[in-house]
């Protein structure tokens, strides 16, 4: 096989390795078979066309045709000619699959099932990358540029996968690029002539040895291994990189600890729709609480309403105050009736979320790991750990939503306006094209409603009273920005994110402080716990009322697949001041009473289960005893500090033993090396390219040796030259005394700082450690190369035809 054909085959290998980052995108390995078939098709076509000596410019076109036939054969509707040649029906079927894939990309969260549309996109992407890599590497001889399509196959998963792709797919993909560069470099070298090795002699000339690896290939392989190793390992030892390298590449979350303290910027709304549209729900949490009627588990809130939708202000927290130290009770008025509960949670399928679902407002959280609290958004979060296999418990306080007193306080709440308004940031609206139209509709809805509560109730009833034909569906296009908001209000169909985003935005146009909350409904009652699944993912609205705090409003319609509920203060006619929370009266009493009691007396399957066990008592989190860790760290630090000096002492004693040995050449070499090491420790660097005699003159001048010491150094230099170049061995008499004399003379002429450094942190020992470690790594790679050579020799000898006879 010619070098060009070998290079084309290597392109296929590199492309296949480059598909490794796609693995985290799918929940099965079905995509891999399609990727292998695509790469084999493109590579095989390239080899066949080039073997026929076709022009380089024709190869990509033929590859493109082969990719088109493969796509028709795999994803056509059966109307193809000979099973692969497309017809008009084929293009219609492919268009439908692409539209379905576009919908899946918007609706599904990673990892996604291998739907045919998504597999079609995979084949298109991998096939296009294979064609471009082959054209750049083989046709244009620009292998370095082939890294761009490989980078694209890496960048797309990194941008989509919220939890990153991990270090292993990165290393495999990077290996593909290194293999491609090595193959192209070897092909480039072979065009200059035949490579040879030290064992390639035969007769009077050189010939390439088929069994020995090329030295250039070996060097390139070592550079590639080192580069990949550095890229994978270095992020682990960098203090501010917590999810890189072996810790898991590219989590997609930013973490910092600057002047503002511990902070993180996360985007939870991207996973909400994907959880709601899963065909098979996944259990995320098991919740045990002494609240007989638990409300929603809040993950976080979105407080910035922009033209592009609802966003989250970066979360911040004190760098010295984790949640285990207790949390402030903020956002609840003093006169508001409150209830307190204890809850314990076992994480099941929530994966690597960096949010801790809690009931609002948490007052104490007992959890393993570095978790912080952002009081502005009411979010428990982490930038250094996640919820994988986590168990935690917490105490929480919340307004008693069943108390008539709460409704009275809401009715009495007044507007807080002006520059001193503490909630002014939650009233802001963006300057968007559809803003005037949205404001006009809001003004019509809240007309003649004077208090904040009346305006909030009017907006809530706009979605819930049945006069408007709003319905719940996840089949709508996602989005909560200005244009999408107006489109939702016209279509009157959407899912919880769109209802919550719409009501919160309209509340701001009604001059109400509002934000969007993201989390989970209470889930399904099981024997002893509440099971929260992906189907319970939910979004709702929180509106701030003066002297009351943040109050939840859920505008998502009841019924259908939605998990919304009715809150008592949203139906004020259902209760009077004299009613008890468990026995409301009035027009809406039936529905409200049902809502209040269903959680405490009946699960969703109609089974009675009133005796839910209480969660384990929560004890204050005791800071872990890190005495052993600090002691180990201190001991390690001390060992690192004394290691250079100890290594220098050991090396000096070894050389002095050789100086006193029986071999005069080794004795002179050891004495010369010790003198040079002593000079290097004092800051005098010598040039190894100079002869010992010139080195001695330079050292005598730089160190300020006296005449006797300079003469002794010159004698030692002549003995070193004799040991190197003469067949007659040098004299080794008095070498130990000469070494001691020269070391004392050099220290006498050195500064005090240089002397202290030579004793405490000798540079010669550090240089020796670096040289020895480099040699050790090189020896290991030599052994690997030798093993590969033996394996290659055995394979090629078996494949070679034996001569007859």
């Amino acid at each position: 096989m010619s070098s060009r054909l070998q290079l084309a085959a290597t392109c296929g290998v590199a492309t296949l390795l480059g598909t490794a980052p796609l693995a985290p995108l799918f929940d099965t390995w079905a995509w891999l078979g399609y990727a292998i078939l695509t790469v084999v098709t493109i590579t095989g076509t390239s080899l066949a066309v080039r073997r026929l000596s076709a022009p380089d410019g024709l190869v990509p076109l033929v590859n493109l045709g082969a990719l088109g036939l493969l796509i028709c054969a795999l994803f056509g509707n059966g109307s193809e000619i000979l099973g692969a040649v497309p017809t008009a029906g084929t293009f219609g079927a492919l268009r439908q699959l692409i539209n379905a894939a576009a919908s899946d990309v918007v609706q599904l969260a990673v990892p996604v099932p291998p739907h045919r549309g998504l597999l079609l996109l995979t084949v298109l992407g991998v096939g296009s990358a294979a064609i471009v890599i082959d054209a750049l590497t083989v046709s244009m001889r620009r292998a370095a540029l082939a890294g761009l399509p490989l980078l694209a196959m890496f960048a797309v998963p990194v941008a989509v996968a919220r939890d990153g792709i991990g270090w292993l797919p990165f290393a495999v993909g990077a290996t593909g690029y290194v293999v491609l560069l090595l193959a192209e470099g070897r092909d480039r070298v072979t065009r200059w002539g035949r490579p040879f090795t030290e064992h390639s002699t035969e007769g009077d000339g050189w010939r390439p040895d088929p069994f020995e690896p090329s030295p250039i290939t070996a060097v390139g392989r070592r550079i590639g291994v080192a580069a990949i190793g550095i890229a994978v390992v270095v992020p682990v030892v960098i203090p501010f990189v917590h999810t890189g390298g072996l810790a898991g590449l590219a989590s997609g979350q930013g973490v910092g600890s600057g002047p503002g303290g511990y902070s993180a910027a996360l985007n939870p709304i991207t996973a909400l729709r994907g959880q709601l549209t899963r065909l098979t729900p996944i259990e995320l949490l098991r919740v045990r609480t002494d609240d007989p009627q638990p409300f929603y588990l809040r993950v976080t809130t979105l407080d910035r309403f922009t033209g592009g939708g609802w966003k989250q202000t970066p979360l911040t927290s004190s760098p010295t105050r984790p949640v285990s130290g207790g949390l402030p009770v903020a956002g609840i008025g003093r006169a508001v009736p409150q209830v307190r509960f204890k809850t314990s949670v076992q994480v099941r399928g929530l994966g690597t979320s960096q949010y801790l679902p809690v009931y609002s407002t948490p007052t104490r959280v007992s959890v393993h790991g570095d978790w912080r609290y952002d009081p502005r958004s009411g979010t428990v979060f982490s930038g250094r750990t996640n919820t994988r296999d986590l168990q935690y418990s917490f105490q929480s306080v919340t307004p008693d939503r069943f108390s008539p007193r709460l409704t009275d306080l809401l009715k009495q709440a007044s507007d807080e306006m002006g520059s001193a308004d503490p909630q002014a940031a939650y009233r802001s609206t963006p300057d968007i094209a559809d803003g005037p139209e949205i404001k006009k509709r809001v003004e019509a809805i809240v007309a003649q409603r004077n208090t904040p509560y009346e305006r909030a109730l009017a907006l809530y009833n706009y979605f819930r009273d049945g006069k408007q034909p709003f319905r719940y569906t996840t089949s709508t296009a996602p989005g909560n920005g200005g244009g999408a908001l107006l489109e939702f209000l016209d279509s009157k169909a959407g899912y919880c994110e769109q209802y919550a985003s719409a009501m919160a935005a309209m509340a701001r146009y009604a001059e109400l402080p509002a934000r969007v909350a993201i989390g989970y409904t209470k889930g399904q009652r099981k024997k002893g716990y509440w099971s929260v699944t992906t189907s319970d993912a939910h979004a709702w609205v929180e509106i701030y009322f003066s002297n009351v705090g943040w109050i939840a409003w859920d505008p998502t319609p009841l019924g259908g697949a939605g998990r919304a509920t009715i809150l008592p203060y949203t139906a004020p006619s259902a209760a009077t001041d004299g009613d008890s929370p468990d026995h409301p009266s009035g027009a809406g009493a039936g529905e409200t009473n049902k809502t209040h009691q269903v959680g405490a007396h009946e699960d969703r399957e109609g089974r009675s289960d009133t005796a839910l066990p209480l969660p384990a008592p929560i004890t204050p989190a005791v800071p872990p005893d890190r005495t052993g860790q600090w002691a180990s760290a201190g001991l390690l630090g001390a060992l690192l500090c004394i290691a250079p000096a100890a290594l220098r002492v050991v090396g000096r004693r070894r050389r002095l033993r050789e100086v006193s040995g029986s071999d005069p050449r080794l004795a002179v070499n050891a004495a010369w090396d010790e003198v040079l090491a002593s000079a290097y420790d004092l800051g005098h660097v010598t040039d190894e390219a100079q002869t010992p005699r010139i080195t001695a003159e330079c050292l005598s001048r730089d160190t300020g040796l006296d005449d006797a010491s300079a003469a002794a150094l010159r004698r030692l230099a002549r003995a070193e030259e004799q040991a190197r170049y003469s067949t007659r061995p040098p004299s080794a008499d008095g070498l130990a005394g000469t070494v001691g004399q020269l070391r004392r003379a050099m220290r006498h002429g050195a500064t005090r700082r240089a002397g202290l450094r030579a004793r405490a942190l000798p540079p010669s020992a550090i240089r020796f450690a670096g040289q020895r470690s480099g040699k050790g790594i090189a020896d290991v790679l030599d052994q690997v190369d030798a093993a590969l050579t033996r394996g290659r020799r055995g394979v090629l000898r078996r494949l070679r035809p034996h001569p007859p006879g």
Side-chain angles (χ1 to χ4, degrees):
M1 182 182 291
S2 67
S3 60
R4 287 172 60 81
L5 296 182
Q6 291 179 358
L7 191 58
T10 306
C11 289
V13 174
T15 304
L16 192 57
L17 293 176
T19 62
L22 301 179
L25 299 184
F26 293 90
D27 57 9
T28 70
W29 287 96
W31 69 274
L32 183 58
Y34 286 83
I36 293 175
L37 181 60
T38 303
V39 172
V40 170
T41 300
I42 300 301
T43 304
T45 303
S46 175
L47 292 174
V49 174
R50 286 194 167 89
R51 196 168 187 87
L52 296 175
S53 301
D56 286 335
L58 182 62
V59 177
L61 298 177
V62 177
N63 286 338
L64 192 60
L67 176 61
L69 294 177
L70 176 65
I71 290 175
C72 293
L74 293 176
F75 302 101
N77 60 353
S79 63
E80 295 76 27
I81 301 173
L82 300 179
V85 180
T87 62
T90 304
F91 292 113
L94 295 179
R95 188 182 305 108
Q96 291 179 359
L97 285 178
I98 292 177
N99 292 335
S103 177
D104 286 343
V105 169
V106 171
Q107 297 182 16
L108 300 181
V110 174
V112 298
H115 293 167
R116 282 176 56 81
L118 297 175
L119 292 175
L120 171 58
L121 293 185
T122 301
V123 171
L124 275 172
V126 173
S128 300
I131 294 173
V132 174
I133 291 171
D134 180 89
L136 291 173
T137 304
V138 185
S139 300
M140 301 175 60
R141 301 288 183 176
R142 295 292 185 268
L145 294 178
L148 294 177
L150 290 174
L151 180 62
M153 288 196 292
F154 173 78
V156 171
V158 168
V160 174
R162 182 170 59 90
D163 301 322
I165 65 171
W167 69 271
L168 184 58
F170 163 78
V172 174
T175 301
Y177 184 49
V178 172
V179 168
L180 188 62
L181 293 179
L182 293 178
E184 195 272 342
R186 182 173 182 179
D187 175 71
R188 190 181 298 274
V189 170
T190 56
R191 282 181 281 156
W192 287 84
R194 295 184 302 174
F196 57 87
T197 68
E198 58 180 336
H199 305 297
S200 298
T201 58
E202 184 178 84
D204 57 351
W206 294 87
R207 67 175 180 84
D209 187 343
F211 302 127
E212 288 291 333
S214 167
I216 296 178
T217 303
V219 172
R221 182 164 55 248
R222 295 180 182 190
I223 294 175
V225 170
I228 295 173
I230 291 173
V232 171
V233 175
V234 164
V236 178
V237 299
I238 297 178
F240 54 82
V241 177
H242 301 280
T243 55
L246 293 175
L249 278 177
S251 72
Q253 284 87 20
V255 179
S257 55
Y262 184 102
S263 65
L266 310 169
N267 186 10
I269 207 167
T270 56
L272 175 62
R273 185 183 179 97
Q275 292 181 348
L276 290 174
T277 55
R278 293 191 67 93
L279 297 179
T280 304
I282 297 177
E283 186 181 46
L284 303 178
L285 306 169
R286 289 186 177 181
V287 181
R288 292 176 170 83
T289 179
D290 56 2
D291 185 355
Q293 171 65 357
F295 191 56
Y296 301 160
L297 284 163
R298 186 171 64 191
V299 173
T300 189
T301 57
L302 311 179
D303 56 1
R304 290 192 297 116
F305 178 45
T306 68
W310 285 91
K311 309 294 181 183
Q312 182 186 65
T313 298
L315 306 176
T316 59
S317 176
S318 168
T320 59
R321 188 168 185 176
V323 294
S324 57
L327 306 177
V329 180
I332 302 179
R334 295 182 179 180
V336 175
Q338 302 175 11
V339 288
R340 297 177 180 271
F341 301 106
K342 296 179 181 179
T343 305
S344 62
V345 180
Q346 179 184 6
V347 176
R348 303 287 289 180
L350 193 57
T352 55
S353 171
Q354 291 181 278
Y355 294 96
L356 213 59
V358 294
Y359 296 125
S360 62
T361 300
T363 58
R364 181 176 297 277
V365 182
S366 179
V367 60
H368 178 74
D370 186 7
W371 292 89
R372 306 300 172 112
Y373 182 67
D374 177 31
R376 185 174 188 273
S377 63
T379 304
V380 181
F381 70 100
S382 176
R384 294 180 170 88
T385 185
N386 54 59
T387 57
R388 184 181 297 278
D389 301 325
L390 193 66
Q391 295 189 32
Y392 61 97
S393 57
F394 61 92
Q395 296 174 348
S396 60
V397 58
T398 184
D400 185 0
R401 58 188 182 277
F402 297 105
S403 171
R405 176 62 178 163
L406 176 61
T407 304
D408 292 340
L409 291 174
L410 292 175
K411 293 179 180 180
Q412 298 168 10
S414 62
D415 287 302
E416 289 184 345
M417 302 296 292
S419 59
D421 181 8
Q423 305 301 327
Y426 295 96
R427 302 179 190 268
S428 63
T429 56
D431 184 12
I432 56 179
D434 295 322
E437 174 62 23
I438 298 174
K439 183 175 179 61
K440 180 180 178 181
R441 298 191 184 191
V442 171
E443 290 175 347
I445 295 173
V446 301
Q448 300 180 353
R449 269 75 170 185
N450 298 322
T451 67
Y453 175 72
E454 290 175 347
R455 296 198 297 272
L457 188 61
L459 293 174
Y460 173 82
N461 288 333
Y462 174 73
F463 295 101
R464 278 291 198 98
D465 62 7
K467 296 179 181 179
Q468 301 291 331
F470 282 103
R471 60 187 180 88
Y472 182 93
T473 177
T474 57
S475 300
T476 58
N480 51 61
L485 172 57
L486 195 58
E487 181 180 348
F488 165 72
L489 294 177
D490 290 335
S491 67
K492 294 179 172 52
Y495 60 106
C496 57
E497 176 202 339
Q498 294 169 311
Y499 280 96
S501 301
M503 180 176 173
M506 295 169 74
R508 291 205 174 180
Y509 281 106
E511 300 181 349
L512 296 173
R515 63 189 185 186
V516 175
I518 303 295
Y520 301 94
T521 58
K522 61 185 177 183
Q524 183 176 0
R525 176 170 261 176
K526 301 289 187 179
K527 290 296 183 180
Y529 62 91
W530 295 90
S531 175
V532 179
T533 70
T534 52
S535 297
D536 296 302
H538 197 56
W540 62 98
V541 181
E542 292 183 350
I543 298 178
Y544 186 85
F545 294 86
S546 62
N547 300 322
V548 179
W550 289 102
I551 299 299
W553 299 75
D554 190 354
T556 304
L558 297 173
R563 301 298 178 95
T565 187
I566 293 179
L567 296 165
Y569 48 80
T570 62
S573 61
T576 65
D577 291 344
D579 294 327
S580 69
D582 292 324
H583 299 85
S585 61
E591 187 65 42
T592 305
N593 191 47
K594 177 182 178 182
T595 304
H596 177 50
Q597 296 182 357
V598 66
H601 302 290
E602 186 177 278
D603 65 11
R604 295 183 180 181
E605 297 179 6
R607 296 189 300 267
S608 175
D609 185 15
T610 58
L612 277 178
L614 295 180
I618 299 178
T619 57
V622 179
D625 185 7
R626 302 186 184 276
T627 304
Q629 297 179 6
W630 283 109
S632 300
L635 178 61
L636 180 60
L639 291 176
L640 291 176
C641 290
I642 66 175
L647 185 62
R648 181 71 179 90
V649 171
V650 172
R652 182 186 305 119
R653 290 180 177 179
R654 179 181 59 81
R655 291 194 184 103
L656 292 178
R657 284 196 300 269
E658 293 179 352
V659 167
S660 303
S662 58
D663 189 334
R665 295 182 186 275
L666 291 179
V668 170
N669 293 151
W672 179 253
D673 290 340
E674 177 59 28
V675 170
L676 294 184
S678 299
Y680 188 72
D681 289 339
L682 295 171
H684 304 292
V685 182
T686 59
D687 188 354
E688 295 182 358
Q690 293 177 342
T691 64
R693 194 172 306 182
I694 297 178
T695 300
E697 295 296 333
C698 293
L699 279 180
S700 297
R701 181 182 66 252
D702 295 342
T703 58
L705 296 179
D706 57 81
D707 294 340
S709 298
L713 182 57
R714 286 193 290 272
R715 289 194 300 271
L716 180 58
R718 287 194 294 271
E720 173 66 13
E721 289 181 346
Q722 184 176 351
R724 291 184 185 182
Y725 310 123
S726 176
T727 59
R728 184 168 55 87
S731 173
D733 296 338
L735 280 179
T738 300
V739 171
Q741 175 189 355
L742 292 174
R743 293 185 66 248
R744 288 191 297 271
M746 286 188 290
R747 287 202 304 268
H748 179 73
T751 63
R752 183 177 182 181
R753 180 179 179 182
L756 291 175
R757 185 184 63 175
R759 289 184 175 88
L761 199 65
S764 63
I766 299 175
R767 181 176 64 176
F768 174 77
Q771 292 173 345
R772 295 295 297 179
S773 61
K775 185 178 183 301
I777 294 174
D779 291 342
V780 171
L781 292 175
D782 285 339
Q783 296 296 326
V784 173
D785 285 337
L788 292 175
T789 300
R790 289 194 295 270
R792 187 180 182 201
R793 180 182 288 112
V795 172
L796 291 181
R797 282 178 173 171
R798 285 181 174 84
L799 295 178
R800 279 187 169 183
H802 297 283

